[in-house]
Amino acid sequence: MTITNILPFNNEAIAEAVGLILAGQCVAVPTETVYGLAADATNGEAVARIYEAKGRPSFNPLIVHVLDLAAAREIGEFDEQAAELGETHWPGPLTLVVPLRQPSAIASIATAGLPTIGLRVPAHPAMQALLRAAGRPFAAPSANASGGISPTRAEHVLKSLGGRIPLIIDGGPTERGIESTIIAATGGPLRLLRAGPIEIDAATPDAGRIEAPGQMASHYAPSKPLRLNAMTAELDEHWIGFGPYDGHANLSASGNLTEAAARLFDLLHRADEADEARIAVAPVPEAGLGVAINDRLRRAAAPRS
Ligand code: TXA
Ligand code: MG
């Protein structure tokens, strides 16, 4: 069990938080919407620890937080519409989903392997100070255990994630209390993916996605048939190993689930591009992060219409 410190927002707290984030840990930080659980978005294992701490049974693309529009444009491709929205509403409670620039420094687990990315420039001074001091983007979903209510006070975070994360920065109650508006600007008309504090008239609601963000049809899935629990592989199979089952690649030779989660989407992409016609994946234990890994693998293996 981890001891969870709570520090009031000040320079000392930011220094402590930066050290943890650069060491690959996640830290709860207030934003103007809700408290976020922030980790280095360029470090796959750090992002996997967010899922571990939240006890989340599936992988969703996470919102990546940056200091300003210029930083966002280094990561995503902004057309005129997207740039105008960023200029008007940032910093603030708006997330823009845009095409991901390639090659990307962002860990593939942060985008759940998608070719797009959700980017946001938060307005809260604590999150801004931390982003500035760390000099890198943060993946940050709401800082609550899976299925819980989004936290608007440090005490809510402590109740939900106490003993699972090393630090909560206490910035008092959040101003908005609900998560950011999410707009997709990926070409064509703007689409509203999640309603929130900012209303954008030009966006058409995309109801299917708002109700079931984890089930998004656009979630990355390989184009080839995929076989689960493979303890050996056929000649025409690209075998993704785990632990002692050492295939063409290995999610984690030491059987570490955090490492496996961090590598999952990269290895699925590689398997898709390999010469073999099919994909086989070694068994992954159904415990801890293994639950989310297996959920993703089962979806990837399910027949597609
Ligand atoms: O207010 C907020 O936005 C809070 C605070 C902490 O900043 N953050 C937050 O992040 O709510 P998160 O990671 O929980 O938001 C994830 C949601 C996904 O469920 C999905 O709906 C959307 O953001 N999303 C992220 N990336 C996406 C993408 N590439 N395509 C479609 N939707 C995406
Ligand atoms: Mg949430």
Side-chain angles (χ1 to χ4, degrees):
M1 183 150 142
T2 310
I3 292 172
T4 304
N5 274 321
I6 304 188
L7 295 175
F9 167 44
N10 57 28
N11 291 341
E12 193 193 323
I14 294 300
E16 175 88 23
V18 171
L20 288 164
I21 291 222
L22 296 183
Q25 298 300 314
C26 42
V27 169
V29 196
T31 80
E32 75 277 34
T33 58
V34 300
Y35 276 71
L37 188 59
D40 178 356
T42 67
N43 177 343
E45 292 191 28
V47 178
R49 285 194 187 98
I50 292 176
Y51 285 95
E52 214 163 22
K54 285 177 68 90
R56 199 159 173 173
S58 65
F59 296 122
N60 251 4
L62 299 178
I63 294 172
V64 171
H65 298 64
V66 292
L67 205 49
D68 52 28
L69 178 57
R73 294 187 90 141
E74 284 176 23
I75 298 170
E77 281 169 24
F78 284 67
D79 61 14
E80 243 172 73
Q81 244 182 336
E84 201 184 304
L85 285 174
E87 267 156 29
T88 310
H89 298 284
W90 282 348
L94 174 69
T95 295
L96 293 171
V97 172
V98 297
L100 182 64
R101 250 181 222 290
Q102 293 294 352
S104 185
I106 303 297
S108 61
I109 186 177
T111 55
L114 293 173
T116 55
I117 185 164
L119 289 162
R120 160 161 134 76
V121 177
H124 197 287
M127 188 61 135
Q128 287 181 348
L130 194 53
L131 282 165
R132 193 173 289 114
R136 58 195 65 198
F138 300 156
S142 56
N144 53 273
S146 177
I149 301 165
S150 290
T152 58
R153 294 172 176 276
E155 306 89 85
H156 300 164
V157 182
L158 183 68
K159 218 167 140 190
S160 191
L161 297 179
R164 298 207 208 174
I165 58 172
L167 178 63
I168 301 168
I169 297 181
D170 187 351
T174 61
E175 186 192 334
R176 304 279 190 159
I178 57 168
E179 281 107 333
S180 62
T181 303
I182 305 180
I183 302 280
T186 50
L190 297 174
R191 284 170 301 126
L192 175 67
L193 302 188
R194 181 170 77 188
I198 289 184
E199 278 181 53
I200 293 180
D201 290 338
T204 26
D206 198 339
R209 294 191 183 214
I210 297 169
E211 279 153 30
Q215 325 282 321
M216 289 189 300
S218 61
H219 248 180
Y220 175 74
S223 62
K224 298 174 181 175
L226 186 149
R227 186 167 67 88
L228 302 173
N229 298 314
M231 294 189 268
T232 59
E234 307 291 327
L235 271 179
D236 68 340
E237 284 179 329
H238 182 92
W239 192 20
I240 299 177
F242 179 78
Y245 300 104
D246 200 21
H248 292 85
N250 199 322
L251 286 164
S252 168
S254 65
N256 178 317
L257 289 167
T258 310
E259 182 184 23
R263 287 166 59 79
L264 177 65
F265 291 102
D266 287 332
L267 295 195
L268 285 174
H269 275 287
R270 258 199 260 165
D272 222 8
E273 284 158 15
D275 292 333
E276 293 82 11
R278 299 184 295 139
I279 305 170
V281 187
V284 174
E286 190 76 23
L289 272 177
V291 175
I293 294 171
N294 283 320
D295 170 76
R296 182 87 290 270
L297 287 172
R298 276 191 294 271
R299 285 172 206 262
R304 258 146 261 148
S305 45

